[in-house]
Every structure is written in C-alpha cells, then in structure tokens.
Amino acid sequence: MPVKTATSGAFLLKTALPILTAASLAVAFATAFAVWSASETDRIAIARQERLVHVIVDQLRSGIAHDQESVTVWDDSVEAVEAQNLEWIDVNLGSWMQTYFGHDGAFVLTADRVPLYAYLDGAVQAPQSFHALQRIVGRLLDDLQKRLAAGDQTGVTDKVLSIGSTDIAVVNGHPSIVSVKPIVSDSGEIEQEPGQEALHVAVRYLDSDFLDQLERDYLIENLGFAWALPKTDHQSSVKIPDGSGKTIGYFTWTPYQPGSTVLKRVAPVMISFLVASLLLISILLAALRRRSIKLQASQAEIQHLATHDQLTGLPNRRTFERSLDEGLQRIRAEGGALGVFYLDLDRFKEVNDTLGHPAGDELLREFARRLVDLTGPQAVVARLGGDEFTIFVPDVASRDDLERLAEDLIEMARQPFSIAGSQAFVGVSVGIAIAPEHGLDRVNLTRRADVAMYHAKHSGRSSHCLYSEEMDSLIEARRELENDLREALDRGGQLHLHYQPLYSAASSELTGVEALVRWKHPSRGWISPVVFVAIAEEVGLIHRLGEWVLTEACLATKAWPVETVAVNVSALELSKAGYAMRVANTLMRTGANPRHLELEVTESTFTAKDGECQRNIQALRELGVRFAIDDFGTGFSSLSRLQQLDVDRIKIDRSFVQGFGKDGSDEAIVRAIIDLAKASGLRTTAEGVETELQNERLRSIGCDELQGFLLHKPVPPEEIERLWMEKRPLKTAAQSRENG
Ligand code: C2E
Ligand code: CA
Ligand code: CA
C-alpha cells in the first residue's frame, strides 16, 4: 500500500502536473489567439464599414446634385422659370424630382432668392414655406452665388455640368442633404448674367425609407439615424457633421463582425475538440499512471526476489550477509556482542524422500514461520538454501541467552509438523558463534557457526554447539581421516571384516552372521564404523567401501553352513543405478549363494519414492537376495507402514531392547512390532541383547532371532570358524540346512 500512495504523489507531481500544465497553457494560448484574431478581424471590418458609410454620404451628396442637373441644365427650365410657368416648374422641377429620384423637397428661387415654387413631403407648398429653410440654405446660397458671379468653374467636368453647393442639415425635423444648383442653359444660347441665375434647391431626408435602400444596396444591417450617440456596444456609428462642423446626428448600424461570426461558428467545434483532447490526455495519463504503478510494483517485486528466499519468504543469503555486516560494523564502533546461529534440519531428506518434495517445501515454510515467531523481531532469520538456515541475533547480553535460544529452537523443531495429511518428525542441529569473541569478520564468523553446527550434528542429532578452537582442529582431523580412508581402500590391508553371530531364539542355534566392517588405522588404531562409514557416505567413498565389504563377506562365508549372511548397505548405494547388477556380479564372481545374502538397510530406503532404489531392490529380490530393515523404530516410518514394506526381516533397534526391565513402554512397543511383523509374515531379530533378562523376555514374546554382546561379540572370521569346530550349534545348523 505505501508503494501505491508514494506513487500517486510522485506521479501527480512529476508527470501529471507538467503535462496538464502544458496542455492548459496550449489551450489558453490557442483560445487567446483565436479571440485576438477574431477581434482584430472585427476591428478592421468595422473601420472599413465606417469608411464605407462616409463614402456613401459623399456619394449621396454628389448623387443628389447630379439628379438636379438632369433638369437644372436645360434651356426649357431657364425659360419656364423666367416665365414663371408654375405648372411646368411643378412637373419638371418639383414633383418629377420626387417621383423619379425620390427627393423629399424641391424649391425654385429667383436670383434674388425670392421663392417661386416649393415642394415638400410629397405636395406642392406655398412658396413662402421656403423661409423655414432660409437660415439653413442661406450659407449655401451665399457661397454658390459668389462663385457664380466670379465665374468659378472648379469641379465642372463632362459629367458635372454646373457648379453647386451641398450640405447636411436638419430640414423639417429630418437630417437631410441639401443641394443648391443654378438653373442654366444647356445649349448656351440663352444669355445669363453670372450670379443672376435662378436657383434650384433639392432636399433628401437621410432618415427615411431611403436608408432601407442603402441597407439593401450596401448590405449594411439595421442602418439607421440617431440624434444622439447610441449607448450600446453592439452598434457602430459615424458622426454626421453639417457644413459648419457641428454634429447633427449619427448613422448607426449593426456592424458586420466576421471574426466574431467565425469564432461563434467555430467555437463549438473548438470546444468539442478541446474537451476531446483533454479527455484523451486524461485517459493517457490514467493509463500511464497504471503502468507506472505496475512498474513500481514489479520493481518492488524484483527487489524482494533479489533479497528474499522464494520458498519461505525469509531474507536470503545476501540480505543476511548485509545485515550481519552492519551489525559487525556497529559492534566495532560501539562495542557489545552479537550471535550467529547456523541451523541444519535433521532427517529432512527422509521427509522429502517419503512424502515428496511439495511436502518438504511445506515443512520448510512451516519451519521458517516457527523460526520467525520464536526469535522475535530483532533477529534476522535467513534461509541459505536446502534445509540450512541462519539467524543473526543483535545485542547479546550473555552466552547463556544464546544457548537458551538454541535449546528453544531444538525443542521447537522437535514438535511434529502436520503436512501432506500426516505428521513428520524432524530435528535441528544448531551451531553458534559469537562476535567479537569468535572474530569480527563476517565470513569467518559464519564459517565458525557452521563448524559448530557440524559438530552438533555429529555429536548426536538435535543438539547445539558453541564454537571453540578445537572444532577447527577436529575438522582438520576429519579431513585427514578422509584422505587416509581413500588410501586404505587403495592399498588394502587396513580394512577388516568381523562377523557377529545371530542365534535362533527358539533353539539357541547359530543361524547366521552379520558382517561389520573394521578399520585399523596405521597411527590411530581401531576406528569405529560409526565414524568412518559416515565420512565415506559424505565424500562418496561409500560405493567402493560397500563393494569391498560385499566381496569380502561373500568370499569369507561362502563355505559357512549358515542361513544368513547379513551385510549392511547404505541407502546411497541402493539408490545408485546399476547397484543390483554389481551385486549379482560379485555373487557370481565369488560363487556365493544369493539366497544366503541378506542386505540390511534403513527404513527410509524402503519408504523413499526413489525409483532407482525400488528397481535395485526388485532386481535383487528376484535373484533370491533378502532384505532386512535395520535399526527399526528409530527412523521415520510408523508402525502402520510395516505391512506395506516389501522386506523379509525387521531388526528391532537396540535402544528398545535396552529399555527392557526399565520402562514398560519399550517392551510393549517391541511386542507390538513382533506381532505386526508375524501377521505380515516377516521375521524379527532383536539387536543389542546384553542381559539375561532381555534374552528371556525377547524369547518369551516370540522374537525369531537374537543378536548381542551377551550371546557373542563381532569377531574375525577365523573365530566364527572355530565356533563351528568347538560347539554343537554348528553341527545342528549344518544338519538343519542339509535337511532343509
Ligand atoms: P548396526 O548395523 O546396527 O550394527 C550393529 C552394531 O551394534 C555394531 O556396531 C555392533 O558392534 C553393535 N552391537 C552388537 N551387539 C551389541 C550389544 O549387545 N550392545 C551394543 N551396545 N552394541 C552392540 P559397529 O560394528 O560399531 O557398527 C556400527 C554401525 O556401523 C552399524 O550399526 C552399521 O550401521 C554400520 N556399519 C558397520 N559395518 C558396516 C558396513 O560394512 N557397511 C555399512 N554401510 N555400514 C556398516
Ligand atoms: Ca546392521
Ligand atoms: Ca542395527
């Protein structure tokens, strides 16, 4: 969980924030640019429209003047005005102008500015009505008549036929264009004195329906006239000044704003695009976040895999070494003491072989859990591999504490493990080294704990040892022994085979012998097989040793009148491919009878699921070789398994026999074993018979054969042969064999 929250924070800060900031900036910039270009476009468009309105007003002024010229530059007009033919004037210079050009007013004045004719708002008016315009038009008349008198022809072209004067003014309450033109001859045949021409005044209202026409012609929306500047922002306007520069009102219209229009059209598309982009970015960010969380998780997982043991989840060797280094560093700096434990499970291989590897794994996991529970949070428990574990205990107060912990560990390991539907019994051997007493170097310290463990294992399982200097020399001695054993096998002469007689419980007759190997070391004297068989197994010499023993036994006993020649075989030999063939070879080579040979193996050999072992046993049984389970009761199998074992004999371990007369339970167990064996058709031999009491009881409860110091010690072959010479049982045994 902490991984996830840490990731969220870091992800937001390092990835999401910069991306979202960049995206937001880009959006803001794009929006601002769009708005700016729209308003800039609008500004340019409005400026153009304003110019257009000015141009329109100018054109109106010259247009009205132009309209006038169609009638004012005309001989007939000059004559009609001269003659004061009002009817003609009305038709041609008054109502005509209204119907044809849409003018709102027309006035005809003499050169002395006496009104002859007036037309306004669609009707002929009294000529005096012109006086209302007198004030407005006066300035125009002054200007025009002065120019006429001066003969000024400025602005006259083949299109503009006469000079004139125009202005914008309020007429009859309407903003209007007012234009004055002289009524002149078009042919030049009528003589007129400059300045004395009659005058025509045209009026065009600016606020009438004519604005609608402008609207249509120039595509200006809502074009109108306002006396005051419109207050709204949505209207454009231009000032309309009169000739004296005074503002008389404003043209107003709804401006054409292409930028805003485009923006309005495009905005929904843009907004959808932005929303889609933001959505996409969010989706991508979410995906990115999920990925980065996954990545961190898998990094954490890789880290865990690199530092922990996969099976048990405990720290692995590397992690152990690192924390031990740190602990040692602390001790070097601050003083104090720490302890290192080296643990190795006892009989673990048997559990693995009998119950299978998954069960073995389960046992290791359970053992790891118990270790962690027992040692507490201070200690570092690690698995080195296989069934080897280490514990590093920081802050050790006394050596007693460590030994107490070791005892607790051993007790803990002794408790049965419920796995694969059955109870497995193992044990643990514990070696202890202490820093600084045994050194401050990690490698050396761990090695010393290992050496101590090795000693614990060899001084009887389920025990613990604290490292001492002698252990190193013992190990050295063991290494020497290993070399010496190899040499003994190479050279010969040092190994001897002794035989211990086996007696029938019923008849007390000698029925067989067990071959027991002896080593006379040139400098150390007799060495026990308990010591050197174990070394041979450990270093792989057991196969050569076993072969020597078998050959020797076959050669020595082939002429003996016995039913049984028992030979001890290590489980390692039996599980090696081709073992059965080698035994068959030896039997053939020596001429020994396979039916006399009985191989003694430990229980686990029979219960193991090792296919090679089963094949060897099968092949040898087919040859007639028999099998016995040695030291029965000390191994792993339960009594109930007895019936399933494919063997001929059971040798009851001497530890049970030694309990006879002391502890009732041992006798009961032996009785049960014998009963069960009988029921399964197996023979039984009791080992280690040392007292008469044991001898008596074993006979009475129905044991088949007996073996022990009380009856006979293991002796060299010559002594066995002497037995037959001296004692009757020899004859009896020989006879019984001949009879059988
Ligand atoms: P084991 O197979 O249980 O052999 C019997 C051991 O009990 C022998 O010890 C024998 O001397 C001892 N013994 C016999 N009677 C008594 C008695 O009344 N009391 C006591 N306390 N002990 C008695 P040994 O010869 O020292 O052999 C020890 C073990 O070494 C054997 O135990 C066997 O497991 C192994 N061994 C001996 N020879 C061979 C061999 O040729 N091959 C293999 N693989 N192992 C061997
Ligand atoms: Ca034996
Ligand atoms: Ca035995």
Side-chain angles (χ1 to χ4, degrees):
M1 271 297 126
V3 171
K4 196 162 181 178
T5 39
T7 311
S8 295
F11 181 82
L12 269 179
L13 210 69
K14 286 193 182 156
T15 314
L17 200 65
I19 290 179
L20 285 175
T21 309
S24 310
L25 278 176
V27 167
F29 183 77
T31 311
F33 181 74
V35 169
W36 175 81
S37 30
S39 76
E40 195 62 8
T41 310
D42 288 350
R43 196 182 57 73
I44 292 167
I46 289 169
R48 277 180 163 239
Q49 287 168 57
E50 284 170 1
R51 262 204 317 279
L52 177 65
V53 171
H54 282 295
V55 168
I56 290 169
V57 173
D58 284 348
Q59 276 182 355
L60 278 177
R61 287 164 74 153
S62 54
I64 288 166
H66 188 69
D67 296 344
Q68 284 176 289
E69 282 183 348
S70 65
V71 292
T72 55
V73 183
W74 188 15
D75 288 357
D76 292 1
S77 297
V78 178
E79 281 164 4
V81 172
E82 187 73 50
Q84 300 202 356
N85 182 347
L86 289 177
E87 203 173 330
W88 193 96
I89 290 174
D90 177 46
V91 170
N92 294 290
L93 298 177
S95 41
W96 166 258
M97 302 304 282
Q98 211 278 319
T99 46
Y100 198 78
F101 296 115
H103 291 186
D104 295 289
F107 302 89
V108 178
L109 311 177
T110 65
D112 305 324
R113 301 187 192 179
V114 176
L116 290 182
Y117 172 80
Y119 182 94
L120 198 64
D121 297 336
V124 177
Q125 309 286 338
Q128 290 78 7
S129 66
F130 174 73
H131 293 304
L133 274 75
Q134 187 74 51
R135 197 181 48 79
I136 301 160
V137 185
R139 199 176 46 78
L140 293 179
L141 295 174
D142 291 348
D143 171 61
L144 182 62
Q145 287 186 315
K146 213 178 284 163
R147 285 171 59 207
L148 285 169
D152 181 4
Q153 289 291 309
T154 317
V156 174
T157 62
D158 51 351
K159 295 234 174 67
V160 180
L161 305 174
S162 62
I163 62 169
S165 193
T166 66
D167 197 2
I168 293 175
V170 179
V171 175
N172 201 19
H174 296 279
S176 314
I177 294 169
V178 182
S179 173
V180 189
K181 282 272 178 181
I183 299 172
V184 291
S185 158
D186 58 335
S187 62
E189 282 169 10
I190 301 173
E191 197 68 35
Q192 284 177 290
E193 190 185 333
Q196 290 304 308
E197 299 89 341
L199 300 159
H200 183 265
V201 178
V203 174
R204 184 78 160 96
Y205 295 159
L206 289 179
D207 56 355
S208 65
D209 57 335
F210 127 95
L211 286 181
D212 301 339
Q213 196 191 322
L214 284 183
E215 235 178 59
R216 279 194 302 278
D217 291 352
Y218 293 96
L219 297 173
I220 296 173
E221 218 181 320
N222 297 324
L223 185 63
F225 176 83
W227 294 107
L229 194 66
K231 293 209 172 73
T232 94
D233 285 343
H234 309 301
Q235 291 283 85
S236 279
S237 60
V238 292
K239 235 186 256 180
I240 307 170
D242 66 8
S244 64
K246 200 178 121 225
T247 303
I248 58 160
Y250 301 86
F251 273 134
T252 66
W253 71 97
T254 305
Y256 171 54
Q257 291 174 295
S260 303
T261 310
V262 168
L263 198 63
K264 264 182 216 145
R265 288 264 175 84
V266 167
V269 179
M270 257 171 79
I271 287 168
S272 325
F273 176 74
L274 287 178
V275 168
S277 305
L278 280 176
L279 215 68
L280 196 71
I281 289 175
S282 306
I283 289 169
L284 287 177
L285 279 175
L288 201 67
R289 199 182 105 101
R290 272 199 301 281
R291 283 228 168 169
S292 82
I293 285 173
K294 254 195 210 158
L295 197 69
Q296 290 222 355
S298 66
Q299 271 170 348
E301 204 174 307
I302 288 168
Q303 176 73 10
H304 192 268
L305 282 180
T307 54
H308 288 76
D309 167 51
Q310 242 171 303
L311 179 69
T312 60
L314 289 178
N316 62 11
R317 183 189 293 271
R318 260 179 55 195
T319 311
F320 175 77
E321 288 174 352
R322 199 175 325 120
S323 47
L324 181 55
D325 275 335
E326 284 164 15
L328 290 167
Q329 191 86 41
R330 213 166 29 244
I331 284 187
R332 274 193 285 268
E334 300 163 17
L338 62 79
V340 174
F341 285 68
Y342 209 104
L343 291 80
D344 188 286
L345 285 176
D346 304 327
R347 287 190 299 278
F348 175 69
K349 190 182 174 309
E350 286 152 46
V351 173
N352 238 355
D353 287 346
T354 42
L355 300 178
H357 286 274
D361 287 352
E362 185 50 43
L363 188 142
L364 288 174
R365 274 195 287 269
E366 171 61 17
F367 182 68
R369 271 194 289 276
R370 290 186 189 179
L371 273 182
V372 172
D373 285 350
L374 190 70
T375 52
Q378 301 297 84
V380 177
V381 178
R383 178 174 175 237
L384 300 186
D387 58 350
E388 290 184 11
F389 294 83
T390 47
I391 305 171
F392 150 48
V393 182
D395 300 325
V396 173
S398 75
R399 157 199 294 241
D400 288 351
D401 285 355
L402 291 180
E403 296 208 73
R404 250 195 308 281
L405 176 58
E407 275 157 24
D408 289 347
L409 287 169
I410 289 165
E411 185 52 39
M412 169 274 274
R414 243 195 226 122
Q415 303 306 312
F417 289 80
S418 307
I419 45 165
S422 72
Q423 303 254 301
F425 293 87
V426 292
V428 69
S429 300
V430 182
I432 312 169
I434 306 175
E437 194 183 323
H438 300 138
L440 279 166
D441 171 63
R442 189 245 303 154
V443 175
N444 208 22
L445 200 62
T446 316
R447 189 191 65 82
R448 288 181 160 177
D450 186 14
V451 166
M453 187 279 291
Y454 184 84
H455 275 268
K457 193 140 262 191
H458 286 269
S459 63
R461 296 170 167 210
S462 281
S463 63
H464 67 88
C465 274
L466 189 67
Y467 172 81
S468 67
E469 300 263 331
E470 307 89 73
M471 288 179 181
D472 275 329
S473 44
L474 281 171
I475 288 206
E476 190 45 46
R478 200 183 147 86
R479 199 163 297 137
E480 275 172 25
L481 219 53
E482 179 192 321
N483 289 330
D484 293 348
L485 180 62
R486 192 166 279 128
E487 217 175 280
L489 281 167
D490 288 345
R491 288 197 189 159
Q494 290 180 27
L495 294 172
H496 304 271
L497 209 51
H498 285 192
Y499 299 88
Q500 186 174 28
L502 307 165
Y503 295 92
S504 156
S507 65
S508 300
E509 284 173 5
L510 191 154
T511 52
V513 291
E514 177 178 1
L516 294 161
V517 70
R518 300 286 178 264
W519 181 15
K520 196 175 184 203
H521 190 275
S523 58
R524 292 173 198 235
W526 293 105
I527 296 175
S528 165
V530 176
V531 175
F532 71 85
V533 168
I535 294 179
E537 284 183 332
E538 220 168 277
V539 300
L541 288 172
I542 189 68
H543 306 285
R544 288 181 64 192
L545 180 65
E547 186 147 5
W548 180 85
V549 168
L550 185 66
T551 310
E552 188 64 27
C554 287
L555 286 173
T557 65
K558 65 177 177 184
W560 293 359
V562 285
E563 288 171 9
T564 305
V565 174
V567 173
N568 293 286
V569 171
S570 160
L572 291 175
E573 293 177 81
L574 259 178
S575 54
K576 193 166 178 186
Y579 177 71
M581 209 180 67
R582 282 193 293 276
V583 172
N585 236 324
T586 307
L587 286 166
M588 232 159 47
R589 220 165 5 98
T590 56
N593 185 352
R595 297 192 178 277
H596 289 176
L597 183 62
E598 188 168 282
L599 298 179
E600 294 190 5
V601 290
T602 51
E603 277 173 71
S604 58
T605 317
F606 275 90
T607 48
K609 290 181 177 130
D610 180 346
E612 207 56 63
C613 187
Q614 302 300 342
R615 263 196 293 283
N616 280 325
I617 291 172
Q618 189 63 31
L620 289 168
R621 285 178 71 93
E622 273 165 25
L623 277 182
V625 175
R626 283 170 286 144
F627 281 86
I629 292 185
D630 211 352
D631 308 334
F632 188 84
T634 57
F636 182 71
S637 278
S638 59
L639 283 185
S640 60
R641 270 225 174 86
L642 212 152
Q643 284 141 306
Q644 300 156 19
L645 300 178
D646 200 9
V647 289
D648 306 278
R649 186 192 298 275
I650 281 167
K651 295 190 77 173
I652 300 160
D653 190 66
R654 71 169 166 273
S655 60
F656 294 106
V657 175
Q658 264 146 20
F660 272 49
K662 294 175 198 158
D663 185 352
S665 69
D666 278 340
E667 216 177 309
I669 290 171
V670 172
R671 191 175 286 133
I673 294 174
I674 290 172
D675 288 348
L676 262 165
K678 276 204 156 71
S680 316
L682 307 181
R683 298 187 68 81
T684 50
T685 301
E687 294 182 324
V689 182
E690 292 181 348
T691 65
E692 279 301 342
L693 182 131
Q694 293 162 356
N695 196 11
E696 276 312 304
R697 296 269 172 90
L698 285 162
R699 283 173 201 269
S700 69
I701 59 177
C703 189
D704 296 313
E705 263 91 28
L706 301 171
Q707 176 185 11
F709 290 166
L710 176 75
L711 306 167
H712 216 290
K713 296 206 170 195
V715 287
E718 311 81 65
E719 278 194 45
I720 299 287
E721 281 163 6
R722 202 175 308 137
L723 270 182
W724 280 309
M725 316 265 209
E726 291 165 1
K727 289 182 185 172
R728 261 170 295 138
L730 163 72
K731 219 185 284 170
T732 331
Q735 280 165 355
S736 70
R737 195 166 53 83
E738 278 158 22
N739 296 345

